[in-house]
Amino acid sequence: KPITEQHLRCVVDCFSVEGEFAGALPYGSGHINDTFAAYYQLADGTSKRYILQRINTHVFKDPKAVMENVIGVTHYLGKEIVKAGGDPIRETLNLIATKNGEYYHVDEDGGFWRMYIFIEDTTTYQMVKNAADFYNSARAFGKFQLLLADYPAATLHETIPLFHNTVDRVRQFKEALAANATGRANDVCDEIEFVLAREADTHVLVDQLADGKLPLRVTHNDTKLNNVLIDNATGEGICIIDLDTVMPGLSLYDFGDSIRFGATTAAEDEPDLSKVNFDISLFEAYTKGYLEVAGKVLTANEIQNLPMGAKLMTLECGMRFLADHIAGDTYFKIHREGHNLDRARTQFKLVADMEQQWDEMHKVVKKYI
Ligand code: ATP
Ligand code: MG
Ligand code: MG
């Protein structure tokens, strides 16, 4: 249902904001939530804007749990940033309370709304253009992990259960194979074989978590470049945003997913595999930035497993694309025939490249310990 101006007026009226509401405009290029900039006129003649968001409740079926996670993490971050002598208004998201003293408002249609302080004079980039951008985002995600190192991660809601449980992902993959809803499994034997040959790997991180050899951490789970606000003055990544998918997990999930999407020479859906290569220099840029900041809180075993994090997140993603291809493209939107198969193949190509450069990846990690 489209959001009318009248509706927006009603919503913002529930939040405890100084000044006179002057209107709201769609803002940014997020794909999940409805994001607006809400403008307010202040008594001194200046104006101020806030980020107003309606949570996508088709994606997040339990928005209350999402908000409890966001509240927990942002309040904790605020305190840690103050302790570290930073600016708690620019370096973390800050929720605005409602007039009822809550941090979200549920409208009459069941829409879930929240408001944040607008962090001014920053930019978000959509794509990794160079190693420096990637390095800056690594430092920002490293700082997120550093500041949240002592957060009681187990108290967070697992809003998407088993999200990066690679063992369970294999189970789901096999289910799609067995059902073979489209009959396509018969045409992708090499790709299926690629996954099944690596089934033992999918246990490596999950088992170490179960055995207490890897610590449960706060994970972001959407570590894209455009979820980092870059300070216009310094070029540094100052604030991690988009905390909807914050959950308990492994630091290696966030690290690995960043490498998966960033340390590559081609788009995720490039059909020409000769263009798709794992880029070890981008891997190095990210590893350097991440370890420079998070290195002091990560355990030796976490650091040792960074390459495995990269490989398993990439394998998992490929396996999900392939399962969806076989199931008939019911989860990931496709824009052409075989789109999910192309996507699966790029991921498997990256996994194969990583395996070939396994020793080099470990050497890079050692260099920045
Ligand atoms: P995605 O598609 O990445 O999941 P989303 O729909 O969850 O996006 P957000 O990433 O939370 O939405 O926000 C959309 C955009 O709004 C961001 O990319 C950023 O440009 C901007 N933005 C969000 N919060 C703030 C803030 N507090 N201050 C300034 N800009 C912000
Ligand atoms: Mg986002
Ligand atoms: Mg998001």
Side-chain angles (χ1 to χ4, degrees), residues 252 291 295 298-307 362 365 369:
L252 306 167
L291 286 181
L298 298 177
T299 66
N301 194 38
E302 279 177 299
I303 294 173
Q304 167 67 23
N305 277 288
L306 288 173
H362 278 98
V365 169
I369 291 176

Side-chain angles (χ1 to χ4, degrees), residues 30-31 222 224 226-227 241-242:
H31 293 301
D222 196 9
K224 295 181 295 192
N226 68 6
N227 286 330
I241 60 166
D242 203 345

Side-chain angles (χ1 to χ4, degrees), residues 277-345:
N277 297 297
F278 171 62
D279 187 328
I280 190 103
S281 66
L282 288 173
F283 174 75
E284 175 156 359
Y286 196 92
T287 302
K288 178 173 191 279
Y290 189 71
L291 286 181
E292 276 174 2
V293 184
K296 46 182 154 312
V297 292
L298 298 177
T299 66
N301 194 38
E302 279 177 299
I303 294 173
Q304 167 67 23
N305 277 288
L306 288 173
M308 189 53 96
K311 175 173 151 176
L312 286 187
M313 289 302 98
T314 311
L315 181 66
E316 173 190 282
C317 189
M319 175 171 21
R320 291 179 65 194
F321 287 141
L322 185 58
D324 200 38
H325 173 72
I326 294 166
D329 310 303
T330 60
Y331 187 85
F332 298 106
K333 265 186 218 148
I334 57 162
H335 305 294
R336 58 175 188 256
E337 178 90 21
H339 205 167
N340 276 321
L341 180 58
D342 288 342
R343 289 170 174 145
R345 285 176 171 154

Side-chain angles (χ1 to χ4, degrees), residues 50-62:
Y50 293 83
I51 287 282
L52 177 69
Q53 272 183 331
R54 183 171 68 174
I55 300 177
N56 184 331
T57 46
H58 296 288
V59 173
F60 300 105
K61 309 263 188 238
D62 188 355

Side-chain angles (χ1 to χ4, degrees), residues 30-33 53 60 70 93 114 116 141 144 220-224 226-228 239-246:
H31 293 301
I32 303 294
N33 302 300
Q53 272 183 331
F60 300 105
V70 175
L93 288 173
R114 67 182 164 211
Y116 288 119
F141 283 112
F144 185 78
H220 181 277
N221 293 307
D222 196 9
T223 53
K224 295 181 295 192
N226 68 6
N227 286 330
V228 183
C239 183
I240 299 297
I241 60 166
D242 203 345
L243 303 176
D244 295 328
T245 48
V246 159

Side-chain angles (χ1 to χ4, degrees), residues 28 46 86 108 169 202 224 273 286 327 358:
T46 63
E108 39 194 45
R169 292 291 185 186
T202 63
K224 295 181 295 192
L273 286 184
Y286 196 92
W358 203 236

